[in-house]
Amino acid sequence: KRAYVIVQKDFRAVMGDGGMSGRVFSALSFIAGMPGITQSDLARNLGIERSGLVAIIDELEAAKFVRRLAVPGDRRVQALHPTAIGEKAYAEAVAKVQLHEDRLLSFLSDTEKKQLVKLLQKIRKSEGEAK
Amino acid sequence: KRAYVIVQKDFRAVMGDGGMSGRVFSALSFIAGMPGITQSDLARNLGIERSGLVAIIDELEAAKFVRRLAVPGDRRVQALHPTAIGEKAYAEAVAKVQLHEDRLLSFLSDTEKKQLVKLLQKIRKSEGEAK
DNA sequence: TATTGTTATACTCTATAACTATA
DNA sequence: TATAGTTATAGAGTATAACAATA
């Protein structure tokens, strides 16, 4: 059962060498998938504190991957939108991660891959329910 | 496929609330399983640097869970051995982790659990091979 | 020369607390 | 009062570089 620990390390390593750090990639992933998300909501989605997210967004904004846009209705919030450059960079990062994933899972059959994904998604879905 | 990220977080959280930190638990796990292992070998097994291991062993020794013992043949090395207290604490920690794991996987059937473990072990085994 | 354990130091990631401006 | 974004600060965890003792 301790295999999990090893697997965790694998994936952290795989994510790590994409030029983009894991946390930045994750943030960009959410912003690309949910344009207009606020920083607070994004922090909740990422499971980190709002304060920690600031540096990540600063980095993404400095790289011109993301813009902070004012929202008409509520002047407190700043909606996060991916730029064209950001979307391109994200697509490239996804491709890289995909490559590593494929290599890592190359010795599993398609059926096994599907099984694995199904099982992990089941675990993930139950996440919120467990008290 | 992004389910992995979520799952990683789950397991880190699960490991984290055992009173013992994840890295200390992992170290104790290896020492209990391979009594007499040297610090350098243990660091290699854990995938961290020798320097970082010192604090962990200091902590385990302060808690009387582990002893550093001189080795007759080579006066540079210090063999790590679990104490009776350490072995008891380890067994209890394992039980705690097991409980959380069971809870987390409670909605999977036995067959599914076996499948999952088999798949993850396959990934783990290939780890060293990938270049 | 190489290796073991160690210290010192710096960097990354994250959390907590406090602040501001809005609501 | 409550919330969004921010700053400052501190704590883990890890890595690198250097050192003394030993091989």
Side-chain angles (χ1 to χ4, degrees):
Chain A
K1 299 238 167 188
R2 202 63 16 78
Y4 297 126
V5 180
I6 315 280
V7 175
Q8 279 186 22
K9 233 178 290 179
D10 286 8
F11 279 91
R12 253 177 293 177
V14 166
M15 296 299 254
D17 69 339
M20 204 180 293
S21 74
R23 63 192 202 136
V24 172
F25 174 76
S26 296
L28 184 53
S29 163
F30 272 103
I31 297 170
M34 310 166 65
I37 189 173
T38 66
Q39 288 187 203
S40 290
D41 283 341
L42 177 54
R44 271 187 285 271
N45 271 296
L46 292 171
I48 64 175
E49 293 299 314
R50 299 195 309 284
S51 60
L53 185 58
V54 175
I56 300 176
I57 304 299
D58 284 350
E59 190 179 330
L60 281 170
E61 204 173 34
K64 311 270 189 212
F65 287 174
V66 160
R67 271 175 308 164
R68 288 172 162 107
L69 296 182
V71 172
D74 189 335
R75 279 192 295 172
R76 288 174 306 181
V77 309
Q78 302 199 160
L80 303 171
H81 291 272
T83 64
I85 303 176
E87 278 173 353
K88 198 179 147 214
Y90 174 62
E92 283 166 7
V94 168
K96 266 192 206 171
V97 170
Q98 197 66 45
L99 253 177
H100 280 284
E101 223 166 64
D102 287 348
R103 203 193 43 164
L104 198 64
L105 299 182
S106 56
F107 43 89
L108 293 182
S109 72
D110 284 350
T111 312
E112 285 176 324
K113 274 185 221 171
K114 270 182 209 157
Q115 272 182 1
L116 181 59
V117 170
K118 206 178 82 184
L119 292 173
L120 292 177
Q121 278 177 344
K122 235 176 158 178
I123 293 176
R124 176 187 165 194
K125 254 184 268 172
S126 76
E127 160 70 348
E129 301 165 20
K131 191 179 56 70
Chain B
K1 301 239 165 191
R2 202 62 18 75
Y4 296 126
V5 181
I6 315 280
V7 175
Q8 278 185 24
K9 233 178 290 177
D10 285 10
F11 278 92
R12 252 178 293 177
V14 167
M15 294 300 252
D17 69 339
M20 204 180 292
S21 73
R23 63 192 203 139
V24 171
F25 174 76
S26 296
L28 184 53
S29 164
F30 271 103
I31 297 170
M34 310 167 66
I37 190 173
T38 68
Q39 287 188 205
S40 289
D41 283 342
L42 178 54
R44 271 188 286 270
N45 271 295
L46 291 171
I48 64 175
E49 292 299 314
R50 300 195 307 287
S51 60
L53 185 58
V54 175
I56 300 176
I57 304 301
D58 283 351
E59 191 178 330
L60 281 170
E61 205 174 33
K64 311 271 189 211
F65 287 174
V66 160
R67 273 175 307 164
R68 288 173 162 107
L69 295 182
V71 173
D74 189 335
R75 281 192 294 173
R76 286 174 308 181
V77 310
Q78 302 198 160
L80 302 171
H81 291 272
T83 64
I85 303 176
E87 279 173 352
K88 198 180 146 212
Y90 175 61
E92 283 166 9
V94 168
K96 265 192 208 170
V97 171
Q98 196 66 45
L99 252 175
H100 280 284
E101 225 166 63
D102 287 348
R103 203 194 41 164
L104 197 64
L105 299 181
S106 57
F107 43 87
L108 293 183
S109 71
D110 284 352
T111 312
E112 286 176 324
K113 276 186 220 171
K114 272 182 209 156
Q115 273 182 2
L116 181 60
V117 171
K118 207 178 82 186
L119 293 172
L120 291 178
Q121 279 177 344
K122 236 176 158 177
I123 294 176
R124 176 187 165 192
K125 254 185 270 173
S126 76
E127 161 68 351
E129 299 165 21
K131 190 177 58 69

